[in-house]
Amino acid sequence: MPEAGCAQPAEDVQKEKELQDLFAKWSGVKGSLIPILQGAQEIYGYLPKEVLLQIARELKLPPSRVFGVVTFYAQFHLEPRGRNIVRVCLGTACHVRGASRIFERMQDEVGVGDGETTEDLRFTLETVACLGCCGLSPVVMINDDTHGRLEPDKLRSIVNQYE
Ligand code: FES
């Protein structure tokens, strides 16, 4: 019996199993690095360094190649992400309608800056160049929800809807 505190948490064991299943699914398939990275990111929420090393070993690739791919594509994340992804649009249409004031206030509301994640993993804050709904500018997306025609004073009650 492992001593108390030495056992791997059940959640980690489950994730490890899912990763092994992912490896099995793509075993021997050419060009499997990207789909495996995508699958691993779905399992862990981001790509921990140990997982990248495991992927490199599994695919018999130099770790530098795996890290190179991960850092090249914006879809991959090397740090944990928040449960809620806040995207503030700083595109032209939003800019002319006060997006910079929205962004400044949003940083205060969530307590982190661009590209950062709160310690409690509640929020990740990002800026984007256009969210594709310029008619609603200035716009913020939180997860899949679009919040348009914003004013800084509206942000607190919006942010409070997301745990
Ligand atoms: S510029 Fe902000 S949604 Fe297009």
Side-chain angles (χ1 to χ4, degrees), residues 8-9 13 25-26 62 113 115 128 132 147 149 153:
Q8 237 187 327
V13 173
K25 178 180 168 189
W26 290 98
V128 293
H147 301 277
R149 301 202 175 91
D153 288 345

Side-chain angles (χ1 to χ4, degrees), residues 63-91:
S64 58
R65 164 132 169 72
V66 176
F67 280 86
V69 168
V70 168
T71 49
F72 181 78
Y73 291 103
Q75 63 173 301
F76 295 125
H77 306 288
L78 287 162
E79 300 291 334
R81 306 262 291 159
R83 296 186 294 282
N84 301 293
I85 309 297
V86 179
R87 294 189 177 92
V88 179
C89 182
L90 296 182

Side-chain angles (χ1 to χ4, degrees), residues 4 21 28 35 69 72 75 86 96 108 112 117 128 131 146 154 157:
D21 289 348
V69 168
F72 181 78
Q75 63 173 301
V86 179
V96 298
D108 291 343
V112 290
T117 298
V128 293
L131 287 165
T146 304
K154 289 183 181 171
S157 65

Side-chain angles (χ1 to χ4, degrees), residues 89-94 129-134 137 139:
C89 182
L90 296 182
T92 307
C94 289
C130 182
L131 287 165
C133 42
C134 310
S137 59
V139 185

Side-chain angles (χ1 to χ4, degrees), residues 9-161:
E11 195 188 336
D12 290 358
V13 173
Q14 175 62 27
K15 286 179 177 170
E16 176 63 30
K17 186 186 172 310
E18 287 177 38
L19 188 64
Q20 292 306 327
D21 289 348
L22 185 69
F23 289 153
K25 178 180 168 189
W26 290 98
S27 174
V29 179
K30 267 196 180 169
S32 61
L33 176 57
I34 299 263
I36 285 179
L37 289 169
Q38 289 168 332
Q41 184 161 274
E42 267 178 40
I43 295 168
Y44 291 89
Y46 71 111
L47 291 168
K49 191 173 161 212
E50 318 78 68
V51 171
L52 292 178
L53 293 173
Q54 218 178 328
I55 291 171
R57 277 197 303 275
E58 184 69 27
L59 298 183
K60 298 185 176 55
L61 291 171
S64 58
R65 164 132 169 72
V66 176
F67 280 86
V69 168
V70 168
T71 49
F72 181 78
Y73 291 103
Q75 63 173 301
F76 295 125
H77 306 288
L78 287 162
E79 300 291 334
R81 306 262 291 159
R83 296 186 294 282
N84 301 293
I85 309 297
V86 179
R87 294 189 177 92
V88 179
C89 182
L90 296 182
T92 307
C94 289
H95 176 74
V96 298
R97 294 204 171 96
S100 54
R101 286 186 308 126
I102 298 292
F103 180 52
E104 268 169 36
R105 181 69 72 86
M106 189 59 98
Q107 291 182 91
D108 291 343
E109 292 298 340
V110 299
V112 290
D114 189 12
E116 295 176 351
T117 298
T118 58
E119 261 182 39
D120 61 3
L121 300 184
R122 185 175 170 202
F123 292 112
T124 292
L125 179 61
E126 296 175 346
T127 55
V128 293
C130 182
L131 287 165
C133 42
C134 310
L136 296 176
S137 59
V139 185
V140 168
M141 273 191 87
I142 303 182
N143 306 330
D144 293 329
D145 305 332
T146 304
H147 301 277
R149 301 202 175 91
L150 286 174
E151 288 163 23
D153 288 345
K154 289 183 181 171
L155 295 183
R156 178 161 302 175
S157 65
I158 291 172
V159 160
N160 283 343
Q161 296 166 23

